[in-house]
Amino acid sequence: MHRSALIMWSDEDIEAMRAALLEWYDREGRTLPWRVRPEDRAKGAKPDPYAIWLSEIMLQQTTVPHGTPYWHKFLRLYPTVDDLAAAPLDDVLIHWAGLGYYARARNLHKCAKIVVANHGGRFPRTKAELIQLPGIGDYTASTIAAICFDEPTTIVDGNVERVMARLHRVEAPLPKAKPELKRLATVLSDPDRPGDYGQAVMDLGATVCTPRSPSCLLCPWKDWCRAYEAGDQTDYPKKTPKKAKPVRHGQAFVMLKDGAVWLRRRVEEGLLGGMMEVPTTDWIASETAFDPPIAADWVRTAAPVRHVFTHFELRLDVHVAHVKSDPPGEGRWVATDALGQEALPSLFKKVLRAADL
């Protein structure tokens, strides 16, 4: 039996823990550009659901320091959800470049269109409605509903999972432990200040209960924390050992003509869907045969381009040639000095750099 199954907080403990955390948050919580702090909320300031939604989607796979400039840029370019919905998808993808996981950008654009078309440009007010929108899962729906509309939801991100795992010394490893950690988090969620509580426990994990060097003496929950009591905080959360990423191989073909490079669009569905690319062979587990799209004097670059995706590592051999005619299939010539205006993912920026473009 997991140790956490034996821990039952009393009602008095739960109230004391909520109060201690919120008192800490009122004093120590992070100031973020999209956040309405407690003192401002008390004066009547309201969080902007559009700004909160943008921040949550952008920060799903990156850090606050990296994501914040993108958040500012998107609000400058698209001040409202109506502006974002009206923008061409290619423009959104170009401005998203650098955040990765481009399916999020496509869903961001699709979600904006639905909010405008079906909800009059206003985000739904409940988790149940929010979770029906593209790109909004349980965590994001819970976060928007709690922060913007005071729905008593339970917000659980990686920071919250770490806090709960240490509080209870949960022995089950991630990701298997996720349902248990959410149940434990639900017990503590504050129904009276759900938005502030949710942001508080995330801040606790981000700034105090950190992965490698937790500042336990500063923690408002140290008196209840089983891992702190045992002195083995950094042993939690337990994690399933990662498997080595499989390697896939392919060939990329950079075709040049009259100061332009041939680009084509990837299919909408799947990895890097809807983005621009130079032609490649299929990406497979074994070394691929040299199979260029057009006959030419091909020159292979010195080393393959390596790029790590979530589930595999890709190695592309890059070949460059000057051609006299268009290759088969759909695509277009793009001037080399205009490549920055294209929706090119990081992988193909690496390919073009390998070709000295």
Side-chain angles (χ1 to χ4, degrees):
M1 180 178 294
H2 296 149
R3 189 182 300 271
S4 59
L6 301 176
I7 299 174
M8 296 293 292
W9 304 122
S10 68
D11 290 344
E12 291 77 12
D13 276 326
I14 292 171
E15 289 301 321
M17 291 176 75
R18 289 170 177 167
L21 180 66
L22 286 168
E23 180 182 350
W24 172 85
Y25 175 70
D26 290 346
R27 184 181 67 252
E28 304 289 347
R30 291 177 293 179
T31 298
L32 301 171
W34 48 83
R35 175 178 288 179
V36 174
R37 286 193 50 80
E39 60 269 24
D40 297 319
R41 189 187 287 263
K43 296 175 184 176
K46 300 290 186 183
D48 176 4
Y50 175 61
I52 297 295
W53 167 68
L54 271 181
S55 71
E56 291 300 332
I57 301 300
M58 288 180 172
L59 296 179
Q60 283 174 10
Q61 301 288 347
T62 192
T63 62
V64 168
H66 182 68
T68 298
Y70 286 88
W71 181 85
H72 283 297
K73 178 171 69 172
F74 265 69
L75 276 186
R76 184 177 69 253
L77 294 169
Y78 315 117
T80 69
V81 69
D82 300 79
D83 296 316
L84 180 57
L89 175 58
D90 266 4
D91 288 356
V92 174
L93 292 171
I94 290 168
H95 296 308
W96 186 270
L99 283 172
Y101 299 90
Y102 289 92
R104 290 182 297 145
R106 296 196 303 276
N107 281 329
L108 189 85
H109 191 249
K110 188 184 299 183
C111 181
K113 285 182 171 294
I114 291 175
V115 169
V116 170
N118 298 351
H119 300 279
R122 295 179 179 273
F123 279 82
R125 299 179 63 86
T126 68
K127 175 182 175 179
E129 293 174 292
L130 286 162
I131 208 169
Q132 301 302 314
L133 295 171
I136 295 185
D138 184 88
Y139 161 75
T140 305
S142 297
T143 301
I144 297 171
I147 293 174
C148 300
F149 306 116
D150 292 321
E151 182 178 345
T153 64
T154 299
I155 300 172
V156 180
D157 69 352
N159 289 311
V160 178
E161 288 176 343
R162 183 168 56 256
V163 170
M164 294 301 144
R166 289 173 176 172
L167 273 176
H168 297 268
R169 296 182 81 217
V170 174
E171 296 295 336
L174 288 169
K176 182 181 178 181
K178 284 180 176 288
E180 181 178 11
L181 295 173
K182 183 168 185 179
R183 286 194 298 272
L184 296 171
T186 300
V187 171
L188 291 172
S189 293
D190 191 290
D192 298 322
R193 292 177 61 186
D196 285 345
Y197 174 87
Q199 292 173 109
V201 71
M202 287 191 288
D203 276 13
L204 187 67
T207 65
V208 174
C209 195
T210 54
R212 295 178 184 83
S213 302
S215 303
C216 297
L217 294 179
L218 302 178
C219 180
W221 278 354
K222 64 180 182 295
D223 292 343
W224 294 275
C225 182
R226 303 307 168 102
Y228 174 63
E229 181 182 18
D232 57 4
Q233 304 92 310
T234 55
D235 290 348
Y236 298 90
K238 304 289 187 181
K239 294 183 180 179
T240 303
K242 290 184 178 180
K243 296 180 181 179
K245 289 181 186 290
V247 176
R248 297 184 189 176
H249 303 267
Q251 310 276 334
F253 301 97
V254 179
M255 289 171 278
L256 302 169
K257 187 177 76 167
D258 300 329
V261 62
W262 182 262
L263 298 182
R264 68 185 185 185
R265 188 179 300 279
R266 293 177 63 83
V267 296
E268 288 295 329
E269 300 303 321
L271 196 62
L272 306 180
M275 305 293 288
M276 301 300 288
E277 66 169 2
V278 302
T280 76
T281 59
D282 291 337
W283 304 345
I284 60 176
S286 59
E287 295 282 352
T288 56
F290 179 65
D291 186 21
I294 191 171
D297 294 327
W298 292 97
V299 177
R300 179 176 171 175
T301 59
V305 164
R306 299 189 178 201
H307 192 79
V308 178
F309 292 100
T310 304
H311 300 298
F312 68 94
E313 177 186 330
L314 177 65
R315 298 176 187 174
L316 285 181
D317 291 323
V318 180
H319 306 271
V320 185
H322 289 269
V323 301
K324 296 180 179 179
S325 59
D326 292 358
E330 293 187 3
R332 55 189 169 86
W333 294 104
V334 176
T336 55
D337 60 2
L339 289 171
Q341 301 171 31
E342 297 295 323
L344 284 162
S346 298
L347 166 62
F348 290 102
K349 290 179 181 179
K350 290 181 182 179
V351 169
L352 292 170
R353 283 198 296 271
D356 290 328
L357 296 177

